[in-house]
Amino acid sequence: MKIIWSDFAIENLKDIFDYYSNKASKRIAHKIKKQILDSTNQLLKNPKSGQLELNLEKLNQNHRYLISGNHKIIYRINGIQIIINDVFDTRQNPTKINDMNRDKE
């Protein structure tokens, strides 16, 4: 298995880093980013360890998620690839998860 990050997920991770760099500190931002990245390592041994993401069920791609602090890591399994599609702040309205153009704050 191999983990692949989508451009959208990478951009969201960068936005999370920038937000915490400005609102808290670089140290906190690095800690949160590392925590999110480290959380995905479990997928290499157990790709189905995340629960099914019901808010994306209509896409029929069996999206799953992991929780890392206040963030939901959305992923799907495609053959031998684990594709990280999104990193979503769980303090947002859950319906925003379907909006690919949502504000990233």
Side-chain angles (χ1 to χ4, degrees):
M1 298 297 274
K2 180 179 181 180
I3 296 176
I4 297 171
W5 285 71
S6 71
D7 291 341
F8 186 70
I10 291 168
E11 188 64 34
N12 287 341
L13 188 59
K14 286 179 185 176
D15 289 343
I16 291 165
F17 180 85
D18 291 343
Y19 175 83
Y20 283 101
S21 289
N22 292 325
K23 297 291 182 182
S25 70
K26 288 255 190 215
R27 185 180 65 76
I28 297 291
H30 280 289
K31 180 179 176 185
I32 291 169
K33 180 181 170 185
K34 182 180 181 333
Q35 183 182 41
I36 290 169
L37 293 171
D38 288 349
S39 295
T40 63
N41 289 336
Q42 78 182 56
L43 297 174
L44 294 171
K45 290 185 180 177
N46 192 358
K48 292 186 177 180
S49 60
Q51 295 182 29
L52 287 172
E53 177 52 68
L54 299 179
N55 290 310
L56 296 175
E57 199 171 32
K58 67 181 182 182
L59 299 176
N60 293 322
Q61 294 185 355
N62 294 321
H63 284 90
R64 295 177 170 274
Y65 70 91
L66 299 174
I67 297 292
S68 177
N70 290 321
H71 299 93
K72 190 181 266 195
I73 303 162
I74 308 293
Y75 72 96
R76 63 188 169 87
I77 302 165
N78 185 15
I80 60 168
Q81 298 176 332
I82 299 163
I83 301 168
I84 309 293
N85 292 103
D86 194 359
V87 182
F88 183 79
D89 189 325
T90 59
R91 296 169 291 184
Q92 297 180 72
N93 182 334
T95 59
K96 285 178 102 179
I97 205 165
N98 291 304
D99 182 3
M100 298 302 273
N101 297 312
R102 67 179 178 263
D103 290 333
K104 298 174 188 99
E105 211 171 279

